[in-house]
Structures are given as C-alpha cells and as structure tokens.
Amino acid sequence: MQDKVIAVPKNGKELQAGPSADLLCKVLRDEHGIQTDSHIGYGLALVWVWDGLVIWCDGEWYWWRADWDGWRTRVLYARHSAIESARAARRIAFRYAELRRSQEGSALTVGARA
C-alpha cells in the first residue's frame, strides 16, 4: 500500500484533496463513462474532465466553472461537498454533456460555412 500525503493547514484540519479527487474520478469513470485526469499538489487536486471543465478539490469541496454572467462580466462557479462524490459526479456529468453539445454544435456550424 502506498503512503498517502495529507496536507495539514495552519488550522490543523486534515485535507484529503487527493483521495477525494481520486474518488470523483472513479465515480465519473464507472458510473458515467467519463475519462478524467487528475493532478495533486499544494493541498489541492485538479480533475480535468473536458475543455472548459476542470474541477478543483481541497478535500472538503469540489468546485468548477458553471457558467458566464455576461451582465456582471464574471465567471459563475458551482460547488458540491466532497462527502457526496456520487452526487457531485452526477452534476459534473450534466455539465460535461452540456459542454459537449455546445462544442459539437459550434464545430458543425464552422464546418457548414467552409
């Protein structure tokens, strides 16, 4: 068994970003058929799902870019508790499907113009 490095911030609370991200990757792969890639360091883990869909995890929360607010000209983020990896994965799978549809539609439009 490999040793797991657990980040302990100044408040003494143990963060398990790596294991939480690994669990999210497993659920996305096994239950939703979505391949991911994860990177861990500095107390955070990143899970790459699709262009424009990267999930950050600190061991307590998952959060990702959900939309763009054109009126306020800023990014809107969604978050979900890392305790509920399966429910977070379901929300992420919906966002993934939405992004794929919009990008495929853009590719079809560009191809039609050529």
Side-chain angles (χ1 to χ4, degrees):
M1 184 172 180
Q2 293 180 338
D3 293 330
K4 293 184 180 179
V5 177
I6 298 172
V8 181
K10 291 179 183 177
N11 65 6
K13 181 179 176 185
E14 289 185 356
L15 298 179
Q16 300 209 9
S20 295
D22 290 342
L23 181 57
L24 180 66
C25 290
K26 181 182 181 332
V27 174
L28 285 168
R29 182 187 65 239
D30 295 349
E31 294 184 17
H32 301 282
I34 300 172
Q35 295 299 318
T36 61
D37 189 21
S38 65
H39 303 279
I40 303 163
Y42 301 104
L44 283 176
L46 300 176
V47 176
W48 182 86
V49 179
W50 187 257
D51 290 339
L53 184 56
V54 175
I55 292 83
W56 292 269
C57 179
D58 64 0
E60 187 174 357
W61 293 99
Y62 299 115
W63 67 97
W64 60 94
R65 181 180 173 163
D67 207 350
W68 174 256
D69 184 345
W71 188 69
R72 292 187 175 119
T73 62
R74 67 180 179 186
V75 174
L76 299 174
Y77 290 91
R79 73 175 184 165
H80 200 96
S81 172
I83 294 171
E84 300 178 319
S85 296
R87 290 183 71 188
R90 185 169 184 257
R91 291 180 65 197
I92 292 164
F94 282 127
R95 179 68 178 144
Y96 168 77
E98 181 181 303
L99 286 172
R100 287 202 56 165
R101 277 192 306 272
S102 69
Q103 289 179 4
E104 288 171 359
S106 297
L108 291 174
T109 304
V110 170
R113 292 182 191 166

